[in-house]
Amino acid sequence: MYRHTIKIGVLGGIGPEATSRFYDGLFRRLQQIGIDGNTSYPQVIVNSIPAPELVGKISDDQLAPYRIGLTQLDDLGVDFIAMVCNTIHIYRDELQKSIRAPIIDLREEVRRKLATENIKKITVLGTGQTIEQGLYAFPEMENVPISNEDIQKLEMIIVNYNSGKDKKNTKYRIADVVDIAVKYINEGAEVVLLGCTEIAVMLKDVHIPKIDTLDVLIDATIEHDRLENNRRVKIQYLFENACGPDE
């Protein structure tokens, strides 16, 4: 089948290491699926924005860099956009209204993943806003709630991780996150949902029952790429058959 060049927009930099892992993971997954050669990859435009971490109460000023970053990608004519940040998806519907290119709905992708895995009971590890606004609260899903103390601890670890502070103690900070995760698994959660991209990076190689939202976003990006390519192939086929070989 002919492979159209799909233009994928990535809103990244929030944080940078998570964006790097998303980019690397996307192309590794494409290679696993099967790529004919370098020309078979999609075009990927990464807009790594210097935006604030979305912790605590979020203001319009804090959201402004995200709006600008999305508009910049939209102006480049991308076919769809992946936002490499969980908390910003609280505002996805609002942000979608201001641009043409569809934004992948990570909330719905996570919901499908949980349903596919037949998971019924989770604990969400993420920022206070992600948890308080119920980004990953689903009526069909039981939640083992995380304490405010643990939320505050996670937010501090996230901010320090993004800024590169305390790097020499990273393994101890990861151990702190693991301790929090194991605590809620022991309290009855089937899995911990890694509802922050930095937490997903930190726990990438940790073997605990988990749903990694970065992996979910990578899979969703590949599926959107496939669907867009199929749509274009169908349009091309219909056009060529409508016009006939001599037209």
Side-chain angles (χ1 to χ4, degrees):
M1 179 184 290
Y2 178 75
R3 181 68 164 85
H4 290 268
T5 299
I6 309 303
K7 191 182 291 186
I8 300 172
V10 177
L11 189 71
I14 39 183
E17 290 182 69
T19 305
S20 176
R21 190 193 142 199
F22 172 84
Y23 183 86
D24 182 62
L26 176 64
F27 284 93
R28 287 182 183 274
R29 198 72 56 85
L30 286 167
Q31 290 168 351
Q32 291 169 0
I33 293 169
I35 288 291
D36 295 331
N38 205 55
T39 57
S40 296
Y41 288 116
Q43 180 180 1
V44 179
I45 300 174
V46 179
N47 190 4
S48 185
I49 60 173
E53 290 93 351
L54 298 176
V55 297
K57 188 175 180 180
I58 299 168
S59 68
D60 287 340
D61 287 344
Q62 286 175 295
L63 290 177
Y66 295 86
R67 290 195 182 93
I68 293 169
L70 288 169
T71 300
Q72 289 168 337
L73 288 170
D74 200 40
D75 289 345
L76 290 171
V78 298
D79 293 297
F80 63 89
I81 297 172
M83 300 192 296
V84 189
C85 171
N86 282 265
T87 307
I88 193 59
H89 284 82
I90 296 168
Y91 306 94
R92 176 196 170 274
D93 292 348
E94 175 188 338
L95 295 167
Q96 182 66 81
K97 294 174 184 177
S98 62
I99 61 172
R100 170 201 56 83
I103 303 170
I104 292 176
D105 189 341
L106 184 55
R107 171 181 161 82
E108 285 306 309
E109 297 295 342
V110 167
R111 188 177 202 162
R112 278 193 282 270
K113 176 68 173 177
L114 292 169
T116 300
E117 299 289 332
N118 198 31
I119 293 167
K120 302 295 184 184
K121 197 171 185 179
I122 65 172
T123 289
V124 180
L125 303 185
T127 65
Q129 284 297 306
T130 292
I131 295 164
E132 291 166 17
Q133 297 297 323
L135 179 62
Y136 297 125
F138 307 114
E140 69 276 16
M141 193 70 51
E142 186 177 350
N143 179 54
V144 179
I146 185 171
S147 70
N148 287 333
E149 180 183 354
D150 286 335
I151 291 172
Q152 290 171 8
K153 187 181 293 184
L154 287 174
E155 288 191 334
M156 181 186 68
I157 292 171
I158 291 164
V159 171
N160 287 341
Y161 189 82
N162 271 342
S163 63
K165 295 177 181 177
D166 204 24
K167 278 294 185 184
K168 65 180 180 180
N169 291 318
T170 294
K171 66 178 181 179
Y172 301 113
R173 301 291 77 80
I174 291 174
D176 289 341
V177 179
V178 172
D179 286 345
I180 292 171
V182 170
K183 170 183 173 181
Y184 293 99
I185 290 169
N186 290 338
E187 289 184 9
E190 295 175 58
V191 299
V192 285
L193 177 64
L194 309 184
C196 171
T197 52
E198 280 64 53
I199 293 174
V201 171
M202 284 186 271
L203 300 191
K204 177 174 70 74
D205 298 319
V206 176
H207 299 292
I208 56 173
K210 63 187 178 185
I211 295 293
D212 186 329
T213 52
L214 262 178
D215 285 339
V216 173
L217 186 60
I218 288 168
D219 287 341
T221 302
I222 290 172
E223 179 64 7
H224 276 67
D225 174 70
R226 183 188 70 81
L227 291 173
E228 179 60 20
N229 182 70
N230 289 349
R231 185 187 71 83
R232 293 192 188 184
V233 168
K234 183 177 181 180
I235 290 172
Q236 182 180 1
Y237 174 82
L238 293 173
F239 178 78
E240 290 174 351
N241 282 271
C243 293
D246 298 324
E247 297 182 42

